[in-house]
Amino acid sequence: MAKPLSILFVTSEAYPYIKSGGIADVSYSLPMALRDLGHDIRIMLPKYGTVSERRNRIHEINRLRDIPIPMGKLSEPATVKSSSVFNPRTKVQAYITTNLTYFDALKGIYHDPKTGKEFPNNAERFAFFSRTVVETCMLLGWYPDLIHCNGWHTAFIPGFVRGLFANKFKKTKLVLTIHNFKQQGEYQDFNMSLTGFPKEVQSHYIQNKKINILKGGIYYSDFVTTVSPGYAKQILTDKEHGGGLGTSLKEKGSRFLGLLNGIDTYTWNPRQDDYLKHKMRSDFEEFKYNNKVELIKKIGWEYKPDVPLIGMISRLEEQKGTQLLLDSLEAIFKEKVQIVLLGLGEQETAKAVAKAEKKYSAKFKFFDEFNEQLAHLIEAGSDMFLMPSLYEPCGLNAMYSMVYGSIPIVHLTGGLANIVTPIDQKTMKGNTFVFNKFDTPDMVLAIKTAAKCFKDKELWETLIKNATNEDFTWSKSAQKYSEIYKELMK
Ligand code: GLC
């Protein structure tokens, strides 16, 4: 390949350290795919209270101990430690920011796990983290060719780089990937002087008289991406989806692009999935049977081969269609199906889901937790996978479920439209049952159709083949990122 580039990939969460959603998987798999293309890429993220240093082999680096990080007129110490993420083929270095008050003393990433509510000082926490990123580069004398930021949590970085230290980072280009436009880091009362930004820089972080951290990040980045072409189009054409930032993005012109995420094919691979007791050998049917029995046993139900088990793994929130699910359960359970749902959310929502679980205890199981191992078992053990998302920037779980032969049932929106192919029963082509209207009748119809097809063994086998034959590797999109980087360096 041409000259490899040095890249710092900055994120608020990364598998296997900490994960609340797909961004953690992307922050693990994309850097490795870029490493495979030859780049010198490192990642950086904060260490939250639940991340074990021992289990994750996080070590101190002498030079990066007790770095004073300016926060307004005061300063707060950060100790940046070192670790690495890897799969059997590839390894990527990770810098981990530690600080007691902002991160280590708290159990959640963004939310207080007790209440499910956001921490009130999130803007300050991530301003601090963002500042540690630039201070670390300066201390190391490492000015990477690119800093690749992810989401509003890292969107102060472009402001620091261009607005405070432009001279030092002269040759560094900035890329920002937005995983969800509904999360913009909007705050009424964040004290901007903590950033040390001059007035001019501050002004780019304001939208409708409110602080909007994502907006400034977009402004100061050289290139902005989101996680699928379908979602990118929705953002540009539909005000509702862009959450007010459509104009900022239109100004980017050809420097805004939707690139479909990929998956790490070591971690999400039925043949070598270390989370599973029953890996796939030669026979898919046996794999599904063993895992379904295992999952049913864990739930405490009795295994019934003719009742399709529908898996769901999702945060409990508006985006993921939790309310639509709750409103539709009665109609859904007129069909002979069972549903298992794994996920966390706000206290009120979780309570409502738990109440429904009680009501339909023989058909509906709710695991109120975040559990990576169980997530793998649900993908492996369910027959279908339901994603009634109101909107979906990408939707990695649709990819995972296809790889594990769990046929998706999805609301056809955003990235999902790029991932799935609707099933045509006559030609037996396609891999997913879709519904176009976000409402109970349409969703129930899709589930009903799926349940009917499940009875047709030959058809079902074909659908599973269609799904498991799809290619969701990073190869195409990582290549595209690499091209974007190189284009920026010119
Ligand atoms: C966010 C989006 C999801 C996407 C993930 C990774 O969690 O909601 O659609 O798959 O980011 O980009």
Side-chain angles (χ1 to χ4, degrees):
M1 76 171 275
K3 192 176 153 276
L5 301 172
S6 55
I7 306 159
L8 182 59
F9 188 97
V10 190
T11 180
S12 55
E13 51 181 288
Y15 174 84
Y17 304 107
I18 186 92
K19 170 170 166 182
S20 80
I23 181 175
D25 287 354
V26 170
S27 301
Y28 167 78
S29 56
L30 176 56
M32 277 196 294
L34 289 162
R35 177 79 200 91
D36 288 341
L37 292 177
H39 296 298
D40 166 18
I41 185 162
R42 309 178 198 176
I43 68 173
M44 187 152 178
L45 71 153
K47 185 195 139 346
Y48 307 92
T50 47
V51 177
S52 149
E53 294 200 7
R54 198 169 40 85
R55 220 172 333 112
N56 289 290
R57 305 200 181 175
I58 300 174
H59 322 280
E60 291 213 356
I61 315 171
N62 272 336
R63 268 197 295 172
L64 300 180
R65 204 175 285 164
D66 289 321
I67 312 167
I69 304 295
M71 290 295 280
K73 294 207 166 67
L74 303 173
S75 89
E76 179 71 25
T79 291
V80 175
K81 301 187 180 180
S82 169
S83 173
S84 58
V85 296
F86 48 87
N87 66 21
R89 191 173 62 194
T90 309
K91 187 167 164 180
V92 168
Q93 196 193 343
Y95 292 115
I96 317 272
T97 294
T98 66
N99 168 277
L100 186 63
T101 10
Y102 288 129
F103 297 114
D104 245 313
L106 305 176
K107 290 268 180 287
I109 311 180
Y110 321 110
H111 303 93
D112 182 339
K114 281 208 202 97
T115 59
K117 294 240 184 305
E118 264 206 46
F119 293 121
N121 63 342
N122 271 352
E124 188 175 328
R125 293 170 72 222
F126 288 100
F128 169 81
F129 168 61
S130 296
R131 185 75 188 247
T132 63
V133 173
V134 291
E135 298 289 335
T136 301
C137 289
M138 292 192 289
L139 256 176
L140 292 173
W142 184 57
Y143 298 95
D145 294 323
L146 288 128
I147 301 181
H148 188 149
C149 302
N150 289 275
W152 78 259
H153 307 91
T154 61
F156 274 133
I157 295 171
F160 287 130
V161 165
R162 293 286 180 258
L164 280 188
F165 304 107
N167 267 334
K168 298 210 152 132
F169 289 89
K170 262 197 297 274
K171 69 178 217 355
T172 301
K173 298 291 180 205
L174 294 154
V175 175
L176 170 65
T177 294
I178 298 165
H179 297 257
N180 188 341
F181 275 90
K182 288 279 159 70
Q183 294 166 13
Q184 303 184 350
E186 285 180 280
Y187 294 93
Q188 201 73 264
D189 55 358
F190 172 62
N191 177 4
M192 263 292 211
S193 68
L194 290 178
T195 58
F197 285 164
K199 279 272 167 314
E200 144 83 8
V201 178
Q202 288 189 22
S203 71
H204 294 295
Y205 282 88
I206 306 267
Q207 164 99 334
N208 299 333
K209 301 204 176 109
K210 258 197 256 165
I211 289 166
N212 186 313
I213 302 174
L214 191 61
K215 179 171 180 250
I218 293 173
Y219 178 81
Y220 282 110
S221 290
D222 300 296
F223 204 100
V224 178
T225 72
T226 189
V227 289
S228 72
Y231 186 57
K233 200 167 145 203
Q234 283 179 326
I235 295 304
L236 290 176
T237 51
D238 185 335
K239 269 216 181 86
E240 172 61 23
H241 278 98
L245 290 183
T247 319
S248 292
L249 283 166
K250 280 192 191 124
E251 280 167 14
K252 290 272 149 192
S254 60
R255 296 191 161 217
F256 171 60
L257 202 63
L259 288 177
L260 191 64
N261 287 333
I263 66 178
D264 181 65
T265 46
Y266 285 98
T267 319
W268 288 97
N269 184 334
R271 291 178 187 277
Q272 47 195 38
D273 187 330
D274 284 332
Y275 286 114
L276 296 179
K277 198 147 107 197
H278 308 284
K279 297 189 212 328
M280 163 126 146
R281 292 211 185 80
S282 53
D283 186 38
F284 183 83
E285 222 174 296
E286 182 198 8
F287 166 76
K288 186 58 68 183
Y289 168 79
N290 284 335
N291 282 292
K292 187 171 173 182
V293 169
E294 187 75 26
L295 177 55
I296 291 275
K297 197 166 76 189
K298 189 169 168 66
I299 297 172
W301 289 335
E302 193 188 318
Y303 173 72
K304 293 184 194 136
D306 56 327
V307 178
L309 179 58
I310 304 176
M312 293 183 77
I313 303 165
S314 106
R315 294 184 298 271
L316 312 174
E317 61 188 15
E318 192 200 12
Q319 179 199 343
K320 300 293 181 182
T322 311
Q323 195 54 48
L324 176 62
L325 174 79
L326 289 173
D327 295 343
S328 312
L329 281 177
E330 195 177 325
I332 294 174
F333 289 134
K334 293 207 172 106
E335 298 302 311
K336 250 172 111 192
V337 297
Q338 293 176 316
I339 299 180
V340 50
L341 163 63
L342 166 67
L344 291 174
E346 277 209 14
Q347 216 171 30
E348 287 307 306
T349 320
K351 264 194 205 150
V353 178
K355 203 170 142 203
E357 183 198 28
K358 257 202 182 136
K359 183 165 171 198
Y360 300 104
S361 60
K363 295 176 174 172
F364 183 44
K365 174 67 190 177
F366 170 41
F367 288 102
D368 184 6
E369 57 182 307
F370 195 91
N371 182 330
E372 193 67 10
Q373 177 156 24
L374 184 53
H376 283 245
L377 180 60
I378 289 177
E379 296 286 12
S382 58
D383 300 296
M384 301 159 189
F385 194 88
L386 179 60
M387 294 181 78
S389 304
L390 174 59
Y391 69 97
E392 196 62 82
C394 174
L396 291 171
N397 274 318
M399 300 186 189
Y400 298 149
S401 59
M402 277 196 245
V403 172
Y404 284 66
S406 174
I407 303 299
I409 305 171
V410 311
H411 175 221
L412 200 60
T413 179
L416 289 171
N418 299 121
I419 298 172
V420 312
T421 312
I423 288 168
D424 178 337
Q425 288 178 56
K426 279 199 209 90
T427 59
M428 303 226 249
K429 292 233 166 73
N431 49 37
T432 297
F433 297 96
V434 305
F435 54 101
N436 290 297
K437 269 220 239 113
F438 183 75
D439 62 15
T440 299
D442 260 35
M443 173 164 89
V444 174
L445 180 63
I447 294 175
K448 215 170 162 166
T449 312
K452 196 180 112 225
C453 292
F454 184 73
K455 291 191 190 128
D456 180 341
K457 229 176 156 222
E458 193 199 332
L459 172 62
W460 201 255
E461 261 173 39
T462 309
L463 297 183
I464 284 175
K465 270 203 198 98
N466 296 350
T468 49
N469 280 339
E470 291 286 332
D471 172 13
F472 296 118
T473 54
W474 264 109
S475 52
K476 267 188 241 140
S477 292
Q479 190 62 47
K480 188 72 202 166
Y481 270 111
S482 186
E483 280 161 24
I484 291 170
Y485 294 160
K486 281 180 198 156
E487 203 45 48
L488 290 174
M489 298 314 294
K490 277 187 187 159

